[in-house]
């Protein structure tokens, strides 16, 4: 493993995509002493901004990609990955390079008919430009078509994070579905609660400590064991009061009913209403 | 205000209920130098455990309540509050005392026909026995039937928390509905994601940093502005993949559809499927 670590430390990396993932990943790899050769973005400002911070060359056309890197990390929007790969495959000098993408929901087979060495380097976190993430704790999900490349990717991943997973395509896409519930839909529930409060001129701030505590609790305990509230208690009185209030918000009332029934299918009278 | 603070510091408090709320609130009030006279719980072990830690007398029958306290804090389950109040109202020596309950969803009128001095002391947090809460940040929602009592309650609340709100019954019950979305339903989404992962022998740990980040983001930003994921992007490809996978979990598929449609009603084809 020392050997692999030494080899991987010498690897040169080129970043294809300078959005939120590319930006933070690029900066972290640079901080971890990797040499970054080029940064590609269709958006000149994005490639220049990132390239400047990590001593790389910005490019805005994939034709300008140099074959001097060992690893090419593709972090473009999901629906652009295949097009980017096809464009890259035309460049014969890149034929034997290692390519990875950073997407949670794109199978590695997008590479298969174009390259022999490919893999996944998926950091499971929601990045925003403004905020520097704590990479050490971010799960990095890797996979590769060849064992040697897998070892290299694991080595690179473990130099930026303590949280390494090897996942197959199937496993990664399951994690991605689960993340939609835990992240995207959760944020939507925050949005609903903010909206309900706002309509009554109440500040969303009042819920923030509760939201934090709810997210904190499941670090140590199974969410099933810490479920609280009217639904799990079977508190039909509170539920009816809430539904009466939510008549002003018919979509939220439907969501309330469905989630209440999900938490506790035995609440009398609720099933007929869904 | 100094005056009120001095008066309120001399107030003696009796706790009716030693569940999660009563337990932590009692300990915090004691730490803040309030004298706790008695702790009532139907469960002998609960009253004794708490009473011992806060130098109070444990009692297991409401008939044993002494009139020597100034404030009686009722933190029993919502559906027991009215019964407790009726029982207390029989005791003539308590007639002029101040009574409050700690419920988010019970109107203060439960007191009205029995007592003239009453109010609310609702800490908006989800307590668990194992974990000592950081009271300083917990919003305490107060209200009272009389102005002097309101001032006293505010003073007591501000001696344990920096986060004080005066809310009417109507406002408090709206906050309570919003909290069901932000806390109870959010925890249920965590449960769904844990369940999906578990069925595939994947560890829920992989999602914990993402869950934490999602809850963290809304401290500074409006949840509407930080919504991410396939729904808001209108990424129909990912959504169809997810729904195909969720055929194994029909209830979760329905929830996925409804919440996706909630996030983005313009996703083609989804409306017909709900």
């Amino acid at each position: 493993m020392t050997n692999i670590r030494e080899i991987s430390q010498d690897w040169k990396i080129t970043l294809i995509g300078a959005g939120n993932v590319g930006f933070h990943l690029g900066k972290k790899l640079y901080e971890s002493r990797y040499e970054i050769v080029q940064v590609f973005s269709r958006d000149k400002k994005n490639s220049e901004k990132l390239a400047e911070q990590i001593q790389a060359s910005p490019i805005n056309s994939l034709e300008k990609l140099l074959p001097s890197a060992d690893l090419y990390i593709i972090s473009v929007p999901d629906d652009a990955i295949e097009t980017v790969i096809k464009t890259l495959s035309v460049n014969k000098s890149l034929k034997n390079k290692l390519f990875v993408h950073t997407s949670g929901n794109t199978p590695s087979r997008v590479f298969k008919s174009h390259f022999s060495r490919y893999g996944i380097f998926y950091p499971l976190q929601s990045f925003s430009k403004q905020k520097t993430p704590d990479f050490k704790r971010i799960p990095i999900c890797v996979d590769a078509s060849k064992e040697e490349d897998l070892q290299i990717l694991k080595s690179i991943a473990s130099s930026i994070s303590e949280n390494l997973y090897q996942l197959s395509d199937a496993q990664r896409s399951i994690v991605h579905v689960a993340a939609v519930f835990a992240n995207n839909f959760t944020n939507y529930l925050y949005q609903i609660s903010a909206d309900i409060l706002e309509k009554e001129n109440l500040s969303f701030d009042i819920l923030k400590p509760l939201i934090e505590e709810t997210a904190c609790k499941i670090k140590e305990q199974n969410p099933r064991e810490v479920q609280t509230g009217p639904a799990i208690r079977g508190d039909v009185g509170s539920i009816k009061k809430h539904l009466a209030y939510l008549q002003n918000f018919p979509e939220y009332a439907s969501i309330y009913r469905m989630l209440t029934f999900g938490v506790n299918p035995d609440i009398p009278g609720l099933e007929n209403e869904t």
Side-chain angles (χ1 to χ4, degrees), chain A:
Chain A
M1 197 66 189
T2 324
N3 203 7
I4 293 276
R5 171 56 58 93
E6 278 166 15
I7 298 171
S8 80
Q9 275 292 345
D10 285 336
W11 271 36
K12 295 174 186 166
I13 299 171
T14 275
L15 299 168
I16 300 169
N20 289 344
V21 178
F23 181 80
H24 290 296
L25 185 58
K27 291 209 331 180
K28 187 66 194 176
L29 287 167
Y30 173 73
E31 277 170 34
S32 308
R33 312 276 170 95
Y34 286 98
E35 182 180 337
I36 314 294
V37 183
Q38 294 178 302
V39 173
F40 163 83
S41 170
R42 280 191 311 184
D43 182 329
K44 202 163 174 285
K45 256 196 294 187
N46 276 356
S47 57
E48 282 175 0
K49 190 181 162 204
L50 176 56
E52 196 191 342
Q53 295 186 50
I54 61 178
Q55 299 194 15
S57 307
I59 55 171
N60 307 108
S61 147
L62 287 173
E63 281 77 46
K64 292 189 182 153
L65 269 188
L66 298 174
S68 48
D70 303 288
L71 170 64
Y72 294 77
I73 299 178
I74 302 171
S75 48
V76 298
D78 283 10
D79 55 7
I81 294 176
E82 225 164 332
T83 317
V84 165
I85 292 172
K86 274 185 193 153
T87 310
L88 298 175
S89 70
V90 176
N91 187 336
K92 293 298 170 210
S93 68
L94 299 174
K95 209 181 144 203
N96 294 312
K97 301 295 181 178
L98 176 58
F99 289 88
V100 298
H101 71 60
T102 58
S103 159
N105 204 30
T106 306
S108 58
R109 68 164 177 274
V110 289
F111 290 109
K112 207 169 179 176
S113 51
H114 304 289
F115 294 101
S116 63
R117 295 174 59 207
Y118 55 84
I120 306 296
F121 199 95
Y122 168 46
L124 178 53
Q125 186 51 288
S126 171
F127 296 98
S128 45
K129 215 122 222 178
Q130 309 89 329
K131 204 179 154 200
T132 303
D134 178 12
F135 255 99
K136 213 169 62 253
R137 299 181 51 233
I138 296 177
I140 313 249
C141 311
V142 298
D143 201 13
S145 59
K146 294 191 188 300
E147 181 59 29
E148 314 88 83
D149 291 332
L150 179 63
Q151 293 310 324
I152 295 275
L153 292 177
K154 279 185 178 175
S155 175
I156 296 174
S158 66
S159 72
I160 62 175
S161 167
E162 293 166 359
N163 229 335
L164 181 60
Y165 290 83
Q166 186 192 342
L167 298 185
S168 69
D169 276 4
Q171 288 174 318
R172 189 163 36 87
S173 72
I174 289 156
V175 169
H176 193 253
V177 181
V180 168
F181 283 94
N183 166 20
N184 306 146
F185 290 161
T186 290
N187 187 73
Y188 177 55
L189 295 186
Y190 298 159
Q191 200 177 302
I192 292 176
S193 62
D195 195 31
I196 290 172
L197 292 173
E198 203 173 277
K199 293 249 161 64
E200 306 281 348
N201 290 316
L202 292 163
S203 165
F204 181 50
D205 286 345
I206 199 171
L207 288 183
K208 289 179 182 175
L210 180 63
I211 284 174
E212 197 178 331
E213 176 65 17
T214 306
C216 245
K217 255 186 196 167
I218 52 91
K219 279 191 206 169
E220 310 288 330
Q221 286 167 288
N222 186 313
R224 193 180 297 276
E225 284 157 21
V226 295
Q227 183 69 48
T228 56
I232 193 78
R233 284 201 307 273
D235 175 356
V236 181
S238 288
I239 292 167
K240 286 198 169 153
K241 258 194 244 178
H242 289 168
L243 285 172
Y245 174 73
L246 290 171
Q247 284 180 330
N248 307 323
F249 305 89
E251 304 85 358
Y252 299 165
S254 306
I255 291 169
Y256 186 101
R257 256 190 222 102
M258 186 177 268
L259 294 177
T260 294
F261 187 67
V263 171
N264 188 349
D266 297 330
I267 292 179
L270 203 66
E271 193 172 16
N272 300 333
E273 292 184 56
T274 29

